[in-house]
Amino acid sequence: MKNVLSVQSHVVHGYVGGRAATFPLQFLGWDVDNINTVNFSNHTGYGFVRGSAVTASDMSALFHGLVDVKCQYDAIISGYIPSAELIDILSGNVVSLKTNNSSSIYVCDPVMGDQGHLYVDDACVEAYRKLLSMGYVDIITPNQFELELLSGFKITNEKELREATEHLHKTCNIKHIVITSLGSEFSFSNKNDPDSIYCAVSSKDALNMTYYKIPVIKSYFTGVGDLFTALLLDKFYNNPENIGLAVNQVLTIMADVLKLTHKLGLEEFCKYKKIAIPEEGDILEGKMNDADSMRF
Ligand code: PLP
């Protein structure tokens, strides 16, 4: 059985971090070992959260324990890590795990923020740069904002995106950079479509980048990046020669999951509010920190 070490957040309520990644990986036949980076009541997007991050000494102890029991992994994935200190501990341990098993794949999701807004400590940016520069990351899955932070390049168009990814391929030896979403301010040389967002793949030594057009579902989702990274690990592991196909397969699954989540969430919301399910195109008002709209 293939096994993965998953270093992610844990939330009691909701589906982000390990709660979004573990079950799909298990369902796909992976034996998943978890290191929880935080133990939170809920996703930080609620604006209020209870619980705490693991301490640096606890996280080190867990990694030491894995060495004691001689764990080896076919893959490592990492997601939400709230402090530079914890990222540094992960970096050191990824180096030893990959040195002990050179065929192991490391997929790093540098969860830091979105659309110009950082939701981890800002020292994390430098810690991730250091982690990348060690040369052990096979795939990284930043969104546009995270790629800007890591590369130090402002990205507004295809040319600048290419420059940013080239910089990381060259300086950090990363095989594949999968930009999970390009923001609405990103401009293509051909015409933009306001009803679509884009995902892009850049591979070391490949001449061109591949772009994927994704129809927007007007709703609010969480844990999307976490599920994306987990599925990408699986698809890439099964066919490491074709990252383009792996991303395509992941996006196809994601589209179905999001459509279904939206439909079920809307039904649940309307039942709770005792209102009729709206027609397609209608907009339901609801704020992120409105306890009613947060029931699901
Ligand atoms: N809060 C926690 C605890 C998380 O684990 C994550 C993502 O993993 C986020 C917030 C950010 O989630 P999203 O990407 O859905 O905004």
Side-chain angles (χ1 to χ4, degrees):
M1 195 183 203
K2 53 204 174 181
N3 69 345
V4 55
L5 177 65
S6 169
V7 182
Q8 312 239 21
S9 63
H10 173 73
V11 289
V12 178
H13 172 75
Y15 294 93
V16 292
R19 290 255 295 167
T22 306
F23 174 68
L25 281 169
Q26 288 170 331
F27 186 77
L28 291 163
W30 288 83
D31 189 9
V32 184
D33 284 5
N34 282 310
I35 290 186
N36 297 336
T37 56
V38 300
N39 190 21
F40 281 170
S41 51
N42 51 268
H43 177 264
T44 54
Y46 279 71
F48 44 88
V49 63
R50 305 272 177 174
S52 57
V54 296
T55 62
S57 65
D58 277 349
M59 190 158 166
S60 291
L62 295 179
F63 274 113
H64 276 133
L66 295 179
V67 174
D68 292 343
V69 289
K70 298 190 170 46
C71 282
Q72 293 218 342
Y73 293 100
D74 298 306
I76 306 158
I77 55 173
S78 65
Y80 182 87
I81 308 175
S83 73
E85 207 181 8
L86 295 178
I87 297 169
D88 288 344
I89 293 168
L90 170 70
S91 301
N93 284 284
V94 165
V95 175
S96 354
L97 286 166
K98 293 253 317 183
T99 311
N100 291 340
N101 179 8
S102 59
S103 62
S104 178
I105 293 170
Y106 176 31
V107 184
C108 172
D109 185 3
V111 180
M112 288 187 283
D114 206 358
Q115 296 175 355
H117 171 67
L118 203 63
Y119 40 60
V120 291
D121 194 286
D122 53 13
C124 291
V125 178
E126 208 38 58
Y128 272 120
R129 285 187 182 160
K130 216 161 74 195
L131 183 155
L132 298 185
S133 70
M134 290 176 169
Y136 287 93
V137 177
D138 296 286
I139 306 180
I140 186 160
T141 56
N143 57 35
Q144 180 180 338
F145 176 55
E146 290 160 345
L147 180 59
E148 287 178 346
L149 293 172
L150 294 172
S151 65
F153 289 56
K154 178 79 191 139
I155 302 166
T156 60
N157 57 37
E158 288 165 88
K159 183 171 165 284
E160 290 171 355
L161 178 61
R162 190 82 184 130
E163 282 163 3
T165 55
E166 282 299 307
H167 174 76
L168 287 188
H169 286 308
K170 276 206 196 99
T171 54
C172 305
N173 195 32
I174 302 172
K175 294 191 195 79
H176 305 290
I177 302 172
V178 180
I179 304 97
T180 50
S181 64
L182 290 163
S184 52
E185 74 285 6
F186 186 88
S187 86
F188 282 96
S189 44
N190 53 355
K191 224 174 156 35
N192 276 10
D193 169 3
D195 294 326
S196 305
I197 53 166
Y198 292 83
C199 169
V201 177
S202 171
S203 297
K204 196 166 187 275
D205 306 325
L207 279 180
N208 295 310
M209 295 190 57
T210 312
Y211 289 90
Y212 302 80
K213 186 171 165 172
I214 307 158
V216 170
I217 303 174
K218 291 199 178 75
S219 189
Y220 177 82
F221 298 100
T222 60
V224 179
D226 306 322
L227 178 61
F228 182 99
T229 302
L231 293 173
L232 184 62
L233 163 66
D234 182 69
K235 301 303 165 211
F236 179 77
Y237 185 85
N238 293 339
N239 186 3
E241 298 312 316
N242 198 339
I243 181 83
L245 178 64
V247 171
N248 210 334
Q249 290 170 329
V250 171
L251 289 173
T252 305
I253 300 170
M254 294 297 302
D256 282 347
V257 170
L258 294 184
K259 244 184 273 168
L260 190 59
T261 304
H262 181 63
K263 180 173 172 287
L264 296 176
L266 195 61
E267 282 171 13
E268 189 67 17
F269 182 81
C270 293
K271 200 165 102 194
Y272 176 71
K273 288 279 203 179
K274 298 192 176 58
I275 54 173
I277 296 172
E279 297 292 318
E280 208 169 320
D282 287 355
I283 294 172
L284 265 191
E285 297 299 335
K287 287 206 303 281
M288 202 31 212
N289 57 2
D290 167 348
D292 278 355
S293 62
M294 290 306 296
R295 276 189 71 245
F296 42 85

Short mmCIF file of all heavy atoms in Angstrom, two decimals, residues 66-125:
data_model
loop_
_atom_site.label_atom_id
_atom_site.label_comp_id
_atom_site.label_asym_id
_atom_site.label_seq_id
_atom_site.Cartn_x
_atom_site.Cartn_y
_atom_site.Cartn_z
N LEU A 66 8.72 9.45 14.51
CA LEU A 66 8.60 8.75 13.23
C LEU A 66 9.94 8.13 12.83
O LEU A 66 9.98 7.04 12.23
CB LEU A 66 8.12 9.71 12.13
CG LEU A 66 6.70 10.27 12.32
CD1 LEU A 66 6.36 11.23 11.19
CD2 LEU A 66 5.67 9.15 12.38
N VAL A 67 11.03 8.82 13.19
CA VAL A 67 12.36 8.26 12.91
C VAL A 67 12.55 7.02 13.79
O VAL A 67 13.01 5.97 13.31
CB VAL A 67 13.47 9.30 13.19
CG1 VAL A 67 14.87 8.68 13.07
CG2 VAL A 67 13.33 10.51 12.27
N ASP A 68 12.15 7.12 15.06
CA ASP A 68 12.31 5.98 15.99
C ASP A 68 11.59 4.74 15.47
O ASP A 68 12.09 3.63 15.60
CB ASP A 68 11.75 6.34 17.38
CG ASP A 68 12.58 7.40 18.07
OD1 ASP A 68 13.74 7.62 17.65
OD2 ASP A 68 12.07 8.04 19.02
N VAL A 69 10.40 4.94 14.91
CA VAL A 69 9.67 3.75 14.42
C VAL A 69 9.99 3.48 12.95
O VAL A 69 9.30 2.69 12.29
CB VAL A 69 8.14 3.84 14.66
CG1 VAL A 69 7.81 3.69 16.12
CG2 VAL A 69 7.54 5.11 14.11
N LYS A 70 11.03 4.13 12.44
CA LYS A 70 11.58 3.88 11.09
C LYS A 70 10.54 4.04 9.97
O LYS A 70 10.45 3.20 9.07
CB LYS A 70 12.22 2.49 11.03
CG LYS A 70 13.40 2.33 11.98
CD LYS A 70 14.15 1.04 11.70
CE LYS A 70 15.45 0.93 12.45
NZ LYS A 70 15.43 1.28 13.87
N CYS A 71 9.72 5.08 10.08
CA CYS A 71 8.74 5.30 9.02
C CYS A 71 9.41 5.82 7.76
O CYS A 71 10.29 6.68 7.83
CB CYS A 71 7.71 6.34 9.48
SG CYS A 71 6.51 5.65 10.58
N GLN A 72 8.99 5.28 6.64
CA GLN A 72 9.42 5.79 5.33
C GLN A 72 8.15 6.07 4.54
O GLN A 72 7.16 5.37 4.71
CB GLN A 72 10.24 4.74 4.60
CG GLN A 72 11.56 4.47 5.26
CD GLN A 72 12.66 4.24 4.24
OE1 GLN A 72 12.39 3.97 3.09
NE2 GLN A 72 13.89 4.36 4.68
N TYR A 73 8.20 7.07 3.67
CA TYR A 73 6.98 7.47 2.97
C TYR A 73 7.17 7.51 1.47
O TYR A 73 8.23 7.93 0.99
CB TYR A 73 6.50 8.84 3.48
CG TYR A 73 6.07 8.77 4.92
CD1 TYR A 73 6.92 9.18 5.94
CD2 TYR A 73 4.82 8.25 5.26
CE1 TYR A 73 6.53 9.08 7.27
CE2 TYR A 73 4.43 8.15 6.59
CZ TYR A 73 5.29 8.56 7.59
OH TYR A 73 4.91 8.45 8.90
N ASP A 74 6.13 7.08 0.74
CA ASP A 74 6.14 7.21 -0.72
C ASP A 74 5.93 8.66 -1.10
O ASP A 74 6.32 9.09 -2.18
CB ASP A 74 5.02 6.36 -1.34
CG ASP A 74 5.21 4.89 -1.03
OD1 ASP A 74 6.29 4.38 -1.32
OD2 ASP A 74 4.29 4.28 -0.44
N ALA A 75 5.26 9.41 -0.21
CA ALA A 75 4.99 10.81 -0.52
C ALA A 75 4.84 11.62 0.76
O ALA A 75 4.53 11.09 1.83
CB ALA A 75 3.71 10.92 -1.35
N ILE A 76 5.07 12.93 0.60
CA ILE A 76 4.85 13.87 1.70
C ILE A 76 4.01 14.99 1.10
O ILE A 76 4.30 15.44 -0.03
CB ILE A 76 6.19 14.48 2.19
CG1 ILE A 76 7.19 13.37 2.56
CG2 ILE A 76 5.98 15.43 3.37
CD1 ILE A 76 8.63 13.83 2.53
N ILE A 77 2.98 15.43 1.83
CA ILE A 77 2.30 16.67 1.41
C ILE A 77 2.26 17.61 2.60
O ILE A 77 2.17 17.18 3.75
CB ILE A 77 0.87 16.48 0.84
CG1 ILE A 77 -0.05 15.74 1.80
CG2 ILE A 77 0.87 15.79 -0.49
CD1 ILE A 77 -1.49 15.71 1.31
N SER A 78 2.35 18.90 2.31
CA SER A 78 2.21 19.85 3.40
C SER A 78 1.26 20.96 2.99
O SER A 78 1.18 21.33 1.81
CB SER A 78 3.57 20.41 3.82
OG SER A 78 4.14 21.16 2.78
N GLY A 79 0.53 21.47 3.99
CA GLY A 79 -0.45 22.54 3.75
C GLY A 79 -0.29 23.64 4.78
O GLY A 79 0.84 24.05 5.07
N TYR A 80 -1.40 24.05 5.39
CA TYR A 80 -1.41 25.20 6.30
C TYR A 80 -0.46 25.01 7.49
O TYR A 80 -0.64 24.12 8.31
CB TYR A 80 -2.84 25.39 6.80
CG TYR A 80 -3.07 26.56 7.72
CD1 TYR A 80 -3.34 27.82 7.22
CD2 TYR A 80 -3.03 26.39 9.11
CE1 TYR A 80 -3.57 28.89 8.08
CE2 TYR A 80 -3.25 27.46 9.97
CZ TYR A 80 -3.52 28.70 9.44
OH TYR A 80 -3.73 29.75 10.28
N ILE A 81 0.55 25.88 7.56
CA ILE A 81 1.51 25.88 8.68
C ILE A 81 1.62 27.34 9.13
O ILE A 81 2.05 28.18 8.35
CB ILE A 81 2.89 25.34 8.23
CG1 ILE A 81 2.73 23.98 7.52
CG2 ILE A 81 3.84 25.23 9.41
CD1 ILE A 81 4.00 23.41 6.94
N PRO A 82 1.20 27.65 10.36
CA PRO A 82 1.01 29.06 10.71
C PRO A 82 2.27 29.85 11.06
O PRO A 82 2.21 31.06 11.14
CB PRO A 82 0.08 29.00 11.92
CG PRO A 82 0.34 27.68 12.53
CD PRO A 82 0.73 26.75 11.43
N SER A 83 3.42 29.19 11.29
CA SER A 83 4.59 29.98 11.69
C SER A 83 5.86 29.52 11.00
O SER A 83 5.99 28.35 10.59
CB SER A 83 4.79 29.89 13.21
OG SER A 83 5.29 28.61 13.54
N ALA A 84 6.82 30.44 10.93
CA ALA A 84 8.10 30.15 10.27
C ALA A 84 8.85 29.05 11.03
O ALA A 84 9.50 28.19 10.42
CB ALA A 84 8.93 31.42 10.24
N GLU A 85 8.73 29.07 12.34
CA GLU A 85 9.42 28.08 13.17
C GLU A 85 8.99 26.65 12.79
O GLU A 85 9.81 25.74 12.66
CB GLU A 85 9.04 28.37 14.63
CG GLU A 85 10.05 27.94 15.64
CD GLU A 85 9.55 28.26 17.05
OE1 GLU A 85 8.37 28.66 17.23
OE2 GLU A 85 10.36 28.09 17.98
N LEU A 86 7.68 26.47 12.58
CA LEU A 86 7.17 25.14 12.22
C LEU A 86 7.58 24.77 10.79
O LEU A 86 7.88 23.61 10.50
CB LEU A 86 5.64 25.09 12.37
CG LEU A 86 5.09 25.24 13.80
CD1 LEU A 86 3.57 25.21 13.80
CD2 LEU A 86 5.63 24.15 14.72
N ILE A 87 7.60 25.76 9.90
CA ILE A 87 8.02 25.48 8.51
C ILE A 87 9.50 25.04 8.50
O ILE A 87 9.86 24.09 7.79
CB ILE A 87 7.81 26.71 7.60
CG1 ILE A 87 6.32 27.05 7.52
CG2 ILE A 87 8.37 26.46 6.19
CD1 ILE A 87 6.01 28.39 6.87
N ASP A 88 10.31 25.68 9.34
CA ASP A 88 11.73 25.30 9.43
C ASP A 88 11.88 23.85 9.90
O ASP A 88 12.72 23.10 9.40
CB ASP A 88 12.48 26.21 10.41
CG ASP A 88 12.68 27.61 9.83
OD1 ASP A 88 12.51 27.78 8.61
OD2 ASP A 88 13.00 28.53 10.62
N ILE A 89 11.05 23.45 10.86
CA ILE A 89 11.13 22.07 11.36
C ILE A 89 10.73 21.10 10.25
O ILE A 89 11.38 20.08 10.02
CB ILE A 89 10.23 21.89 12.60
CG1 ILE A 89 10.81 22.72 13.74
CG2 ILE A 89 10.11 20.43 13.01
CD1 ILE A 89 9.90 22.87 14.93
N LEU A 90 9.66 21.44 9.53
CA LEU A 90 9.25 20.60 8.41
C LEU A 90 10.39 20.48 7.40
O LEU A 90 10.72 19.37 6.96
CB LEU A 90 8.00 21.19 7.73
CG LEU A 90 7.62 20.53 6.41
CD1 LEU A 90 7.09 19.12 6.64
CD2 LEU A 90 6.56 21.34 5.65
N SER A 91 11.02 21.61 7.04
CA SER A 91 12.09 21.61 6.03
C SER A 91 13.18 20.60 6.38
O SER A 91 13.55 19.76 5.56
CB SER A 91 12.80 22.96 5.94
OG SER A 91 11.91 23.95 5.62
N GLY A 92 13.66 20.68 7.62
CA GLY A 92 14.74 19.79 8.04
C GLY A 92 14.32 18.33 7.91
O GLY A 92 15.10 17.48 7.47
N ASN A 93 13.07 18.05 8.27
CA ASN A 93 12.63 16.66 8.25
C ASN A 93 12.32 16.15 6.85
O ASN A 93 12.49 14.97 6.57
CB ASN A 93 11.44 16.49 9.19
CG ASN A 93 11.89 16.48 10.63
OD1 ASN A 93 12.44 15.50 11.11
ND2 ASN A 93 11.73 17.61 11.31
N VAL A 94 11.89 17.06 5.96
CA VAL A 94 11.69 16.65 4.56
C VAL A 94 13.03 16.23 3.98
O VAL A 94 13.13 15.21 3.28
CB VAL A 94 11.07 17.79 3.72
CG1 VAL A 94 11.19 17.51 2.23
CG2 VAL A 94 9.61 18.00 4.08
N VAL A 95 14.08 16.99 4.29
CA VAL A 95 15.41 16.64 3.78
C VAL A 95 15.78 15.23 4.24
O VAL A 95 16.18 14.39 3.42
CB VAL A 95 16.49 17.67 4.25
CG1 VAL A 95 17.88 17.23 3.83
CG2 VAL A 95 16.18 19.05 3.71
N SER A 96 15.60 14.91 5.54
CA SER A 96 15.98 13.55 5.97
C SER A 96 15.07 12.49 5.35
O SER A 96 15.56 11.44 4.93
CB SER A 96 15.98 13.36 7.48
OG SER A 96 15.75 14.52 8.16
N LEU A 97 13.77 12.75 5.28
CA LEU A 97 12.87 11.74 4.71
C LEU A 97 13.20 11.46 3.25
O LEU A 97 13.21 10.32 2.80
CB LEU A 97 11.41 12.18 4.84
CG LEU A 97 10.81 12.11 6.25
CD1 LEU A 97 9.50 12.89 6.34
CD2 LEU A 97 10.57 10.65 6.65
N LYS A 98 13.49 12.55 2.50
CA LYS A 98 13.81 12.36 1.07
C LYS A 98 15.20 11.76 0.89
O LYS A 98 15.46 11.05 -0.08
CB LYS A 98 13.69 13.70 0.31
CG LYS A 98 12.27 14.23 0.24
CD LYS A 98 11.55 14.16 -1.08
CE LYS A 98 12.27 14.52 -2.31
NZ LYS A 98 11.40 14.47 -3.49
N THR A 99 16.10 12.03 1.82
CA THR A 99 17.44 11.43 1.71
C THR A 99 17.34 9.92 1.96
O THR A 99 17.99 9.12 1.29
CB THR A 99 18.41 12.07 2.74
OG1 THR A 99 18.28 13.48 2.62
CG2 THR A 99 19.85 11.68 2.50
N ASN A 100 16.48 9.53 2.92
CA ASN A 100 16.30 8.09 3.22
C ASN A 100 15.53 7.37 2.13
O ASN A 100 15.64 6.16 1.99
CB ASN A 100 15.55 7.91 4.54
CG ASN A 100 16.40 8.34 5.71
OD1 ASN A 100 17.61 8.41 5.59
ND2 ASN A 100 15.77 8.66 6.82
N ASN A 101 14.70 8.09 1.39
CA ASN A 101 13.91 7.44 0.34
C ASN A 101 13.84 8.40 -0.85
O ASN A 101 12.94 9.22 -0.95
CB ASN A 101 12.50 7.11 0.88
CG ASN A 101 11.64 6.46 -0.18
OD1 ASN A 101 12.13 6.10 -1.26
ND2 ASN A 101 10.36 6.30 0.11
N SER A 102 14.79 8.26 -1.76
CA SER A 102 14.94 9.25 -2.83
C SER A 102 13.77 9.21 -3.82
O SER A 102 13.57 10.16 -4.58
CB SER A 102 16.27 9.06 -3.56
OG SER A 102 16.30 7.77 -4.08
N SER A 103 12.99 8.11 -3.83
CA SER A 103 11.86 8.08 -4.77
C SER A 103 10.60 8.75 -4.18
O SER A 103 9.57 8.84 -4.85
CB SER A 103 11.56 6.65 -5.20
OG SER A 103 11.18 5.91 -4.07
N SER A 104 10.70 9.17 -2.93
CA SER A 104 9.56 9.81 -2.30
C SER A 104 9.24 11.15 -2.99
O SER A 104 10.14 11.89 -3.37
CB SER A 104 9.95 10.03 -0.83
OG SER A 104 8.93 10.68 -0.14
N ILE A 105 7.94 11.43 -3.14
CA ILE A 105 7.52 12.67 -3.81
C ILE A 105 7.07 13.68 -2.76
O ILE A 105 6.31 13.33 -1.86
CB ILE A 105 6.30 12.38 -4.73
CG1 ILE A 105 6.71 11.48 -5.89
CG2 ILE A 105 5.69 13.68 -5.27
CD1 ILE A 105 5.53 10.98 -6.68
N TYR A 106 7.51 14.92 -2.89
CA TYR A 106 7.05 15.96 -1.95
C TYR A 106 6.22 17.01 -2.69
O TYR A 106 6.70 17.68 -3.59
CB TYR A 106 8.25 16.62 -1.25
CG TYR A 106 7.86 17.77 -0.33
CD1 TYR A 106 6.64 17.80 0.35
CD2 TYR A 106 8.74 18.84 -0.13
CE1 TYR A 106 6.29 18.86 1.19
CE2 TYR A 106 8.39 19.90 0.72
CZ TYR A 106 7.16 19.90 1.35
OH TYR A 106 6.80 20.95 2.18
N VAL A 107 4.96 17.11 -2.30
CA VAL A 107 4.06 18.12 -2.87
C VAL A 107 3.80 19.18 -1.79
O VAL A 107 3.24 18.86 -0.74
CB VAL A 107 2.72 17.50 -3.33
CG1 VAL A 107 1.86 18.57 -4.00
CG2 VAL A 107 2.94 16.34 -4.28
N CYS A 108 4.24 20.39 -2.05
CA CYS A 108 4.14 21.46 -1.05
C CYS A 108 3.09 22.49 -1.47
O CYS A 108 3.19 23.09 -2.54
CB CYS A 108 5.52 22.14 -0.95
SG CYS A 108 5.53 23.61 0.07
N ASP A 109 2.09 22.67 -0.61
CA ASP A 109 1.12 23.75 -0.85
C ASP A 109 1.49 24.88 0.11
O ASP A 109 1.26 24.77 1.31
CB ASP A 109 -0.30 23.23 -0.56
CG ASP A 109 -1.36 24.27 -0.91
OD1 ASP A 109 -0.99 25.36 -1.42
OD2 ASP A 109 -2.55 24.01 -0.66
N PRO A 110 2.09 25.95 -0.40
CA PRO A 110 2.58 27.01 0.49
C PRO A 110 1.43 27.93 0.92
O PRO A 110 1.35 29.09 0.51
CB PRO A 110 3.59 27.75 -0.39
CG PRO A 110 3.03 27.60 -1.77
CD PRO A 110 2.30 26.29 -1.82
N VAL A 111 0.53 27.41 1.74
CA VAL A 111 -0.68 28.14 2.13
C VAL A 111 -0.29 29.40 2.93
O VAL A 111 0.21 29.29 4.05
CB VAL A 111 -1.60 27.24 3.00
CG1 VAL A 111 -2.86 28.01 3.41
CG2 VAL A 111 -1.96 25.96 2.28
N MET A 112 -0.47 30.55 2.32
CA MET A 112 -0.10 31.79 3.01
C MET A 112 -1.19 32.86 2.91
O MET A 112 -1.32 33.71 3.78
CB MET A 112 1.19 32.36 2.42
CG MET A 112 2.42 31.54 2.79
SD MET A 112 3.95 32.32 2.27
CE MET A 112 3.96 31.99 0.53
N GLY A 113 -1.95 32.84 1.83
CA GLY A 113 -2.96 33.88 1.68
C GLY A 113 -3.54 33.85 0.28
O GLY A 113 -3.27 32.94 -0.50
N ASP A 114 -4.35 34.85 0.00
CA ASP A 114 -5.00 34.93 -1.31
C ASP A 114 -5.38 36.37 -1.60
O ASP A 114 -5.68 37.12 -0.66
CB ASP A 114 -6.26 34.03 -1.31
CG ASP A 114 -6.61 33.56 -2.71
OD1 ASP A 114 -5.92 33.96 -3.67
OD2 ASP A 114 -7.58 32.79 -2.84
N GLN A 115 -5.33 36.74 -2.87
CA GLN A 115 -5.78 38.06 -3.32
C GLN A 115 -5.22 39.20 -2.47
O GLN A 115 -5.97 40.06 -1.97
CB GLN A 115 -7.31 38.10 -3.36
CG GLN A 115 -7.83 37.11 -4.37
CD GLN A 115 -9.34 36.99 -4.39
OE1 GLN A 115 -10.05 37.57 -3.59
NE2 GLN A 115 -9.83 36.23 -5.34
N GLY A 116 -3.91 39.18 -2.26
CA GLY A 116 -3.23 40.25 -1.56
C GLY A 116 -3.34 40.21 -0.05
O GLY A 116 -2.83 41.08 0.64
N HIS A 117 -4.00 39.18 0.48
CA HIS A 117 -4.23 39.13 1.93
C HIS A 117 -3.50 37.91 2.51
O HIS A 117 -3.72 36.77 2.08
CB HIS A 117 -5.74 39.06 2.19
CG HIS A 117 -6.10 38.77 3.60
ND1 HIS A 117 -5.85 39.67 4.61
CD2 HIS A 117 -6.68 37.68 4.17
CE1 HIS A 117 -6.27 39.14 5.75
NE2 HIS A 117 -6.77 37.94 5.50
N LEU A 118 -2.61 38.18 3.49
CA LEU A 118 -1.81 37.10 4.11
C LEU A 118 -2.55 36.57 5.34
O LEU A 118 -2.98 37.36 6.18
CB LEU A 118 -0.49 37.75 4.54
CG LEU A 118 0.75 36.86 4.72
CD1 LEU A 118 1.15 36.21 3.41
CD2 LEU A 118 1.91 37.71 5.23
N TYR A 119 -2.73 35.22 5.47
CA TYR A 119 -3.37 34.75 6.71
C TYR A 119 -2.47 33.86 7.56
O TYR A 119 -2.94 33.08 8.39
CB TYR A 119 -4.75 34.12 6.49
CG TYR A 119 -4.97 33.25 5.28
CD1 TYR A 119 -4.24 32.09 5.08
CD2 TYR A 119 -5.95 33.58 4.37
CE1 TYR A 119 -4.48 31.29 3.99
CE2 TYR A 119 -6.20 32.78 3.28
CZ TYR A 119 -5.47 31.64 3.09
OH TYR A 119 -5.70 30.84 2.00
N VAL A 120 -1.16 34.00 7.34
CA VAL A 120 -0.20 33.38 8.26
C VAL A 120 0.78 34.48 8.67
O VAL A 120 0.76 35.57 8.10
CB VAL A 120 0.57 32.21 7.59
CG1 VAL A 120 -0.33 31.03 7.33
CG2 VAL A 120 1.25 32.67 6.30
N ASP A 121 1.65 34.18 9.60
CA ASP A 121 2.67 35.14 10.03
C ASP A 121 3.56 35.50 8.82
O ASP A 121 3.92 34.62 8.03
CB ASP A 121 3.50 34.41 11.10
CG ASP A 121 4.35 35.36 11.85
OD1 ASP A 121 5.37 35.82 11.29
OD2 ASP A 121 4.00 35.65 12.99
N ASP A 122 3.92 36.78 8.67
CA ASP A 122 4.63 37.14 7.43
C ASP A 122 6.05 36.56 7.36
O ASP A 122 6.62 36.46 6.28
CB ASP A 122 4.59 38.64 7.12
CG ASP A 122 5.05 39.50 8.26
OD1 ASP A 122 5.63 38.93 9.20
OD2 ASP A 122 4.84 40.73 8.20
N ALA A 123 6.59 36.08 8.49
CA ALA A 123 7.90 35.41 8.45
C ALA A 123 7.83 34.07 7.70
O ALA A 123 8.85 33.51 7.30
CB ALA A 123 8.40 35.19 9.86
N CYS A 124 6.59 33.58 7.48
CA CYS A 124 6.43 32.31 6.74
C CYS A 124 6.95 32.42 5.30
O CYS A 124 7.40 31.43 4.72
CB CYS A 124 4.95 31.89 6.70
SG CYS A 124 4.33 31.39 8.30
N VAL A 125 6.87 33.62 4.73
CA VAL A 125 7.29 33.79 3.33
C VAL A 125 8.76 33.40 3.20
O VAL A 125 9.14 32.59 2.34
CB VAL A 125 7.08 35.24 2.85
CG1 VAL A 125 7.55 35.41 1.43
CG2 VAL A 125 5.62 35.66 3.01
#
